[in-house]
Amino acid sequence: MTAPSPGLGGSSPLLVGSGIGRDFTLPRQSLFTPGATRHAVVDASLSVGASESVGLIGESGSGKSTLVRILLALAPASAGTVRFDGRPVTPGRAASLRWFRRQTGVVLQDPYASLDPRMTVEAIVGEPLRALDIAGSHRSLITAMLDRVGLSASMLDRYPHEFSGGQRQRIALARALVHSPRLLVGDEPLSALDVTVRAQILELLATLRDDMGLSLLIVSHDIGLVDHLCDRVAVMQAGRIVEQGATSAVLRSPEHAYTRRLIASVPTLP
Amino acid sequence: MSLIVTGLTVTIGGRTVVDDLSFTVADGERFGLIGESGSGKSLTILSLLGLAPEAAHVTGSAVLDGTELIGLSEEELATIRGNRVGMVFQDPQSALNPLHRIGRQIVEPLRLHGGRNERLSKAELRERAVEAVREVGLPDPESLVDAYPHQLSGGQRQRVGIAIALACRPGLLLADEPTTALDVTTQAEILALFERLVSSRGTSLVFVTHDLAVLSQIADDVAVLSAGHMVERGPVATLLEAPTHPVTRGLVAAARATIWSAS
């Protein structure tokens, strides 16, 4: 790729995906013909600058999650490259990616599914510290992180089932950030939450980002969330990034027909 | 079909989960129930049809066009469910049987309820299924009735769920978060479908959701539930503009804080 990183608003690039493609071979329909190929991601270039927040929107099946899995080296790409801080990121042995894992944290959609019911809060939040061989007092890092997400140290010995959905998502956030990564990736981080809780977690995300100087990559079909949180937004449809740019420009004067249709579908309050 | 609910109370294991709830849904009205998780909104509509968990103890009254629903035997309820009252659930994946073809599932209410007055032949049932699939706007109805649920997308499955709910032309449709599992473009299509089918047939609708923006598009009147109590009721527009109860104010403020607005 010789094209410049698209739309980087001044900040130096942290995570850069260039020309990423991913093909899947579908199950064959007949014994005598090969299975068809699905192009899940086609020539997608997406970058996240230092302390920049980027949203990736599009409907189910548009390739958002596949692209993000590739950017996180959780899945191989059929084409293209991923770099973090200039260093190539390719899926491989866990040890070869430890430097990259130390720089990234992930928070997923469903805090009921993403926390192990048999682990205490301390064990859950401390897991990245153990897995990534982080030096220092784990206990104090865990306590400090819980405090940051609005939970108290008295909860260390409790189990996920004792918490509400919003509290669980705070625990998941603490786990994603306990090792002080530079990039936080959120896959639909608010979708499973109640509306009042959504507002609280949205605010918490913004505060954490500002306090910790985080870069954010938010995957969502929630246009409101992306509008409130992200500097830049990329729109995916059928595996391609059809439009990207400053959030306000893309959402308020969309150029691509698909973006216009997507935005027209969002329910609004009168 | 009108629904008059008076003093509906549901207790589970000594805990009161729905507390003395009263509301009426007029013939052809679109009524919304809104509240946080655990406010009792789903349990309310489930207990109307005897679908609440077995441990639930339901008291009070719910009168559907003159028929008292609370306290009916399972056999009597079975003649009402799917026949006079249709239901659409949140997750179209788990609401459909993965082993049966779409067409069979759509005509199941007809086979169960229609059988007594009109004996439909196989060919007639198939014709009804094709017609129902066409009515909910699914492509290629003739071959779609032979498909299995896994071959459809989430939005298509929810259209099938709506086709099943409306197969017997019920006078009342209960919808429990029917668009929550769908993405926005599909949600918009499904809401439009509800709107079209409900208003063209004069079906009364009870729509349960936690999404004020969705409710403001589909419902005329809204009741706000909190911890099993109805804290406020009124037209959607009034509730949005001048919410009086703190719970409603909280819901409206939270919705406005996270919602998309072009201005």
Side-chain angles (χ1 to χ4, degrees), chain B residues 223-263:
Chain B
V224 183
L225 295 189
S226 171
H229 295 271
M230 184 162 85
V231 295
E232 190 163 356
R233 184 192 169 162
V236 179
T238 315
L239 247 59
L240 284 174
E241 274 166 37
T244 55
H245 194 277
V247 168
T248 320
R249 283 207 292 270
L251 277 176
V252 174
R256 291 213 187 276
T258 52
I259 198 141
W260 157 248
S261 123
S263 53

Side-chain angles (χ1 to χ4, degrees), chain A residues 1-269:
Chain A
M1 283 290 291
T2 47
S5 305
L8 261 183
S11 60
S12 58
L14 189 63
L15 180 73
V16 182
S18 312
I20 291 173
R22 175 78 164 117
D23 297 334
F24 291 104
T25 305
L26 299 175
R28 59 174 75 209
Q29 296 295 310
S30 134
L31 258 182
F32 309 107
T33 52
T37 301
R38 163 155 311 153
H39 306 289
V41 179
V42 183
D43 193 22
S45 294
L46 182 70
S47 49
V48 184
S51 303
E52 189 191 32
S53 300
V54 176
L56 183 58
I57 60 177
E59 62 194 8
S60 315
S62 60
K64 309 187 293 282
S65 295
T66 305
L67 176 57
V68 167
R69 287 175 62 82
I70 291 169
L71 290 175
L72 284 172
L74 294 171
S78 310
T81 56
V82 180
R83 287 175 169 269
F84 188 89
D85 219 3
R87 220 171 136 178
V89 177
T90 34
R93 293 160 56 87
S96 71
L97 282 166
R98 191 161 294 161
W99 68 274
F100 177 62
R101 302 284 175 233
R102 285 196 178 125
Q103 305 282 340
T104 49
V106 183
V107 60
L108 301 170
Q109 173 169 357
D110 184 355
Y112 288 83
S114 68
L115 305 181
D116 188 329
R118 292 168 301 185
M119 287 166 76
T120 62
V121 169
E122 180 173 14
I124 290 169
V125 176
E127 199 170 18
L129 300 175
R130 292 194 303 279
L132 299 172
D133 269 336
I134 307 284
S137 156
H138 288 185
R139 185 103 201 211
S140 60
L141 284 172
I142 295 167
T143 320
M145 196 61 230
L146 283 180
D147 185 52
R148 277 211 137 124
V149 299
L151 299 173
S152 86
S154 67
M155 296 170 172
L156 282 173
D157 297 325
R158 289 166 61 183
Y159 289 88
H161 75 266
E162 299 175 61
F163 295 94
S164 67
Q167 286 174 317
R168 282 174 199 232
Q169 201 60 316
R170 288 174 193 266
I171 296 170
L173 264 173
R175 175 178 57 186
L177 297 174
V178 70
H179 55 295
S180 302
R182 290 162 73 192
L183 171 71
L184 175 67
V185 177
D187 190 354
E188 300 281 3
L190 302 186
S191 302
L193 305 175
D194 266 330
V195 60
T196 47
V197 181
R198 289 163 64 95
Q200 293 160 10
I201 300 289
L202 176 64
E203 208 175 297
L204 176 64
L205 267 173
T207 311
L208 289 170
R209 173 192 59 186
D210 298 344
D211 291 355
M212 301 176 74
L214 287 170
S215 302
L216 282 186
L217 176 58
I218 301 288
V219 185
S220 185
H221 56 246
D222 183 342
I223 309 288
L225 161 67
V226 167
D227 185 38
H228 281 92
L229 210 53
C230 297
D231 309 313
R232 224 150 44 73
V233 62
V235 186
M236 265 189 110
Q237 185 207 13
R240 293 170 195 275
I241 293 182
V242 295
E243 183 164 4
Q244 64 175 311
T247 302
S248 194
V250 172
L251 298 184
R252 287 177 179 78
S253 38
E255 282 177 8
H256 196 275
Y258 172 71
T259 317
R260 282 202 286 271
R261 189 160 71 82
L262 185 67
I263 286 165
S265 308
V266 181
T268 53
L269 285 174

